[in-house]
Amino acid sequence: MRIRSRIGRADSVLMRASGRLRDDRLDRAMLELSGAANHSLLWLATAGVLALRKGQSRRAAVRGVAALAGASFTASLVAKRLLPRRRPAADLLPPGRRLEGRPTSSSFPSGHAASAAAFATAVTIESPAAGAIVIPLAAAVAYSRIHVGVHWPSDVAFGAATGAAVGLATLHWWPKLPIRADLPAPRVEVPRLEAGDGLVFLVNPRSGSHPVAELVTALWPKARIVTSDGDIVRQLESEISGDTLAIGVAGGDGSVAAAATVAARHDLPLAVVPAGTLNHFARDLGIFEARTVAMATESGRARRIGLGSVTVDGGAERWFVNTASLGGYPPMVRLREKLEPSWGRWLAGAIATVRTLRRARPLDVSLDGEKRRIWMIYIGNDDYRPKGMAPVVRASLGTGVLDVRYVRADVRFSRARFFLSLLTGTLDRSRSYQQCDVTDLVVHSERPLTVATDGEIGPVGKRFEFRARPAALDVYGA
């Protein structure tokens, strides 16, 4: 009671001090700003602007909206009902500053301050530059609730603290990850390609369209430009000759994986121009612009990285740069990539996982001779993070391991338990979810399964041999 009494006295002193501020322009600005933040409309509009730009800005928008939802629920639907408090008396402020249509809900805590702090904190986690703009705006919104007389200062302070805590808590479900993977492998010397001399460059028109072909021609005028007709491996194999020094590819991850297969087989370096929708492989390598790759081919600058491979029923080896999968994972990957541009990587992955597992059939398989009943299995080329959630980004590209993850179907209520662990960020402690790092893995299925590599559907078989291939490929500009 003594603490509450001291807080009440401090609130009264601060409210009267605020009331003595006399500035018509400030009064109008605070009234407008406070109203703009009603129902979080100001923050949703800000998130919409941030989402227009890919990368950090869009991730900041998605994290900000997630934190906004959590803060609104915590402050408005939980705290206000548990801790009711009267609003400040209207006569503490001059008539011109009083908010029309004063709210009748509990004064404690301030929902506006909670939402503002949550959004600003979450945005700053992903993009400090955007946070530098949003934080002052959030502070102004929080103070505006005192200035217009609808909250005590302690309401705003507690609401802001709650919102900041919710913003930081998003890291539990959605860890902040590096923009690119660490590349521990040393740089290697590869052929210098003057204006692309000795370079066979394949352009996938379905990924990048005609302007990309023009860009490639401008940057590598001496290169032999080939337009994909669908079978990239066969096409590149037919173009390789004695004077071929390197292979280039402009396209998405599927096109890059096919070109990497040919480059690895012939021990040729690879030049990658990201021209697909998501470009996970190029992003993890830190390759974002074609001109950067062109400078690397001129100077002969490259890194040696690892690949993954799979053979199906003893057939030809199929290489992958990102991931391979069996069971329900291939359709989940396709659905996730369809949703990712709109929802962001993590939310798209969660939605796709839920939808796919609802329709999945359990698979009876053996993993290195050990029998298992599973829903799906994922094999990543190298070490993906985070471990206790859906894989998002590689921690490295050169450790020579396969990141194996699968959802068990031999545990009671396995799908429900998996979903619950996914929502609470505790997959690493769930019995329904298994993860391990290996150098090779043999999967034998009782019924034919389709393997998917890098988002592309592969052959059907019953025996799948996965291997990590360290130091398998040299990539320009990495």
Side-chain angles (χ1 to χ4, degrees), residues 223-288:
R224 189 157 66 253
I225 309 298
V226 181
T227 302
S228 169
D229 62 2
D231 191 341
I232 294 175
V233 173
R234 177 195 58 78
Q235 200 168 4
L236 282 175
E237 291 279 8
S238 66
E239 293 289 341
I240 292 176
S241 60
D243 61 350
T244 301
L245 299 178
I247 290 174
V249 59
D253 286 325
S255 302
V256 172
T261 295
V262 179
R265 285 178 185 173
H266 293 271
D267 195 24
L268 294 171
L270 180 68
V272 177
V273 172
T277 304
L278 300 175
N279 307 306
H280 292 301
F281 181 66
R283 179 210 63 204
D284 288 347
L285 288 171
I287 298 172
F288 301 101

Side-chain angles (χ1 to χ4, degrees), residues 84-345:
R85 187 185 191 186
R86 287 185 178 181
R87 302 271 176 175
D91 60 8
L92 289 174
L93 298 175
R97 284 175 53 178
R98 298 171 192 172
L99 187 69
E100 294 183 6
R102 287 165 56 87
T104 57
S105 60
S106 170
S107 181
F108 186 87
S110 167
H112 281 63
S115 297
F119 185 79
T121 301
V123 166
T124 305
I125 288 172
E126 289 292 347
S127 175
I133 299 173
V134 173
I135 287 174
L137 184 61
V141 167
Y143 170 70
S144 74
R145 304 302 284 174
I146 301 172
H147 196 85
V148 300
V150 294
H151 279 294
W152 299 102
S154 60
D155 301 338
V156 170
F158 188 86
T162 300
V166 171
L168 292 172
T170 62
L171 289 168
H172 178 70
W173 289 275
W174 186 7
K176 188 176 186 299
L177 299 166
I179 297 174
R180 58 168 288 172
D182 176 36
L183 296 174
R187 294 194 181 277
V188 293
E189 292 186 7
V190 291
R192 297 184 180 185
L193 311 175
E194 183 182 351
D197 190 19
L199 177 64
V200 175
F201 211 114
L202 185 135
V203 176
N204 187 344
R206 292 176 297 175
S207 297
S209 73
H210 188 61
V212 173
E214 290 182 348
L215 176 63
V216 169
T217 302
L219 292 174
W220 293 278
K222 295 183 180 180
R224 189 157 66 253
I225 309 298
V226 181
T227 302
S228 169
D229 62 2
D231 191 341
I232 294 175
V233 173
R234 177 195 58 78
Q235 200 168 4
L236 282 175
E237 291 279 8
S238 66
E239 293 289 341
I240 292 176
S241 60
D243 61 350
T244 301
L245 299 178
I247 290 174
V249 59
D253 286 325
S255 302
V256 172
T261 295
V262 179
R265 285 178 185 173
H266 293 271
D267 195 24
L268 294 171
L270 180 68
V272 177
V273 172
T277 304
L278 300 175
N279 307 306
H280 292 301
F281 181 66
R283 179 210 63 204
D284 288 347
L285 288 171
I287 298 172
F288 301 101
E289 293 184 355
R291 288 176 178 79
T292 303
V293 182
M295 289 188 290
T297 59
E298 290 283 344
S299 61
R301 188 177 75 251
R303 292 269 193 181
R304 184 162 291 166
I305 65 167
L307 297 174
S309 73
V310 57
T311 57
V312 181
D313 291 341
E317 193 170 33
R318 184 183 178 96
W319 300 73
F320 55 94
V321 296
N322 294 328
T323 63
S325 52
L326 296 167
Y329 206 86
M332 191 275 278
V333 170
R334 290 195 296 270
L335 181 57
R336 184 197 68 197
E337 293 186 346
K338 179 181 178 181
L339 297 173
E340 189 167 326
S342 300
W343 291 91
R345 196 173 308 142

